[in-house]
Amino acid sequence: MKITKLTTYIVPPRWCFLKIETDEGITGWGEPVLEGRAHSVAAAVEELADYLIGKDPRNIEDHWTVLYRGGFYRGGGIHMSALAGIDQALWDIKGKALGVPVHDLLGGQVRESIRVYSWIGGDRPAETAAHALERKEKGFTAIKMNASEEMQFVDTFDKVDQVIANVAAIRDACGPHFGIGVDFHGRVHKPMAKVLIKELEPYRLMFIEEPVLSENYEALKEIALMSNTPIALGERLYSRWDFKRILQDGYVDILQPDPSHAGGITETRKIANMAEAYDVAIALHCPLGPIALAVNLQLDANCYNAFIQEQSLGIHYNQGNDLLDYIKNPEVFDYGDGHVKIPQGPGLGIEVNEEYVIERAAIGHRWRNPIWRHKDGSFAEW
């Protein structure tokens, strides 16, 4: 079997899909995308394709090694996202060729389903509580929310009070055992992170995500000791070498690599195995499309330390198209009782609606994250 063609599709709302074709008619799909940089990732896929044409798609580990190490400059969001989508598609091909799901090739399932959480929005406590209650009524047992809007290095306590009011309203509405993840989103700098993490302690959160940006991870040494709430981090890290220092320092409880950013199935599984050796949990990052979710579930099936899965059904980013629009078998994502079942079909377990992908790719997207500014005109982290 030989690889004959790689084709990328930029599709709404903010995704990039990749199709890899072979001379035996077996095709594989991946989702190589970095939010806001989809076209850059697609260009990187095209550059990496030069090596792959004519190669046997089944030699996944060797292809990953060459595509990573074969360039003098390596790593980072663009390169690793391009490599991720390629890797995903190669695993899809291999599973389809053998007639088994990818998780079977990784050693088999350790679970039949995994707990999922749902994103919510809302600027006022009543709205936040209503959104969380709506998700609970739909069967979700956990949600994640952004902690705050823009926040200065040192800000006023009315901002702190707003965060606490939003979280308190959810706790009151949904009860003491409903899971609440609070994402600081890198918007909060160390001085205010210290305040917020202490103030949020009584609300028994499932986790606090990115209390500071990953590049400021040394601040976790101080922040982590101020609360018993688990700390999650990792969506902006792209390889086992990025995660190595985080694990060695020991202040993060939950790693959140994104298999569409962190080198695909091959690399993310290695990151998860490293985390397990440090007794650290995995909650894979996935506010993306159906191919990405299928990839995540294949890994969740195989990684013992995975405990919950992000997914984008109904997320506020999905304007124009939602999670299930691009596949012919949406029932494969079998939600129920706060969980989703592990797909059992060959490869990634999904059937991509290629005709609709082509139709929507004619529209494409130019999604960019918002640019925020503080009241004084200075840039604010989004």
Side-chain angles (χ1 to χ4, degrees), residues 102-347:
V102 168
H103 60 71
D104 198 45
L105 302 176
L106 298 175
Q109 296 177 229
V110 300
R111 59 177 53 85
E112 296 178 354
S113 65
I114 189 162
R115 189 183 183 196
V116 290
Y117 64 80
S118 181
W119 263 95
I120 66 164
D123 295 327
R124 295 179 176 83
E127 293 176 352
T128 306
H131 291 167
L133 197 56
E134 176 190 9
R135 298 299 196 277
K136 183 179 180 181
E137 289 169 352
K138 289 182 176 179
F140 289 99
T141 61
I143 57 91
K144 188 169 80 174
M145 59 184 288
N146 281 325
S148 67
E149 296 183 348
E150 68 276 6
M151 188 166 281
Q152 275 280 14
F153 273 83
V154 177
D155 217 318
T156 55
F157 268 84
D158 61 323
K159 294 277 189 74
V160 176
D161 292 342
Q162 183 67 36
V163 172
I164 302 306
N166 284 339
V167 174
I170 294 173
R171 182 55 73 217
D172 290 343
C174 296
H177 305 303
F178 189 75
I180 304 174
V182 176
D183 188 357
F184 284 20
H185 215 254
R187 297 172 183 175
V188 183
H189 300 277
K190 177 184 172 183
M192 296 309 296
K194 291 165 61 177
V195 173
L196 282 170
I197 202 165
K198 191 171 182 180
E199 292 287 333
L200 286 167
E201 177 77 10
Y203 297 96
R204 303 171 71 185
L205 301 181
M206 184 169 58
F207 57 77
I208 288 175
E209 181 173 334
E210 275 196 330
V212 292
L213 287 166
S214 297
E215 54 260 41
N216 297 325
Y217 81 102
E218 67 279 352
L220 296 178
K221 181 177 182 180
E222 183 177 355
I223 293 170
L225 298 177
M226 300 181 67
S227 171
N228 292 323
T229 303
I231 290 178
L233 181 144
E235 70 189 66
R236 291 189 249 200
L237 301 174
Y238 309 111
S239 73
R240 75 198 89 150
W241 296 280
D242 290 344
F243 282 97
K244 179 169 65 172
R245 61 180 184 174
I246 302 296
L247 290 168
Q248 287 174 338
D249 284 353
Y251 299 111
V252 173
D253 306 291
I254 304 163
L255 292 192
Q256 298 173 301
D258 188 318
S260 280
H261 304 337
I265 292 169
T266 298
E267 184 71 354
T268 305
R269 188 190 182 205
K270 293 175 181 178
I271 294 166
N273 292 159
M274 287 171 58
E276 185 181 352
Y278 283 87
D279 206 24
V280 169
I282 292 291
L284 298 177
H285 182 256
C286 188
L288 299 171
I291 303 172
L293 180 57
V295 166
N296 278 255
L297 294 176
Q298 298 297 327
L299 285 161
D300 290 326
N302 180 256
C303 295
Y304 173 70
N305 51 335
F307 84 100
I308 200 165
Q309 177 61 58
E310 182 174 27
Q311 51 81 52
S312 73
L313 189 63
I315 198 172
H316 51 288
Y317 298 123
N318 292 354
Q319 301 296 319
N321 282 105
D322 209 341
L323 177 67
L324 305 179
D325 294 349
Y326 290 102
I327 55 175
K328 294 181 178 180
N329 57 337
E331 70 280 358
V332 73
F333 299 129
D334 186 0
Y335 289 85
D337 193 29
H339 287 65
V340 65
K341 290 183 179 178
I342 304 300
Q344 297 299 318

Side-chain angles (χ1 to χ4, degrees), residues 31-53:
E31 194 164 331
V33 67
L34 194 66
E35 299 93 303
R37 298 289 184 268
H39 291 81
S40 299
V41 174
V45 170
E46 192 273 334
E47 291 178 335
L48 295 174
D50 293 346
Y51 172 78
L52 290 167
I53 299 298

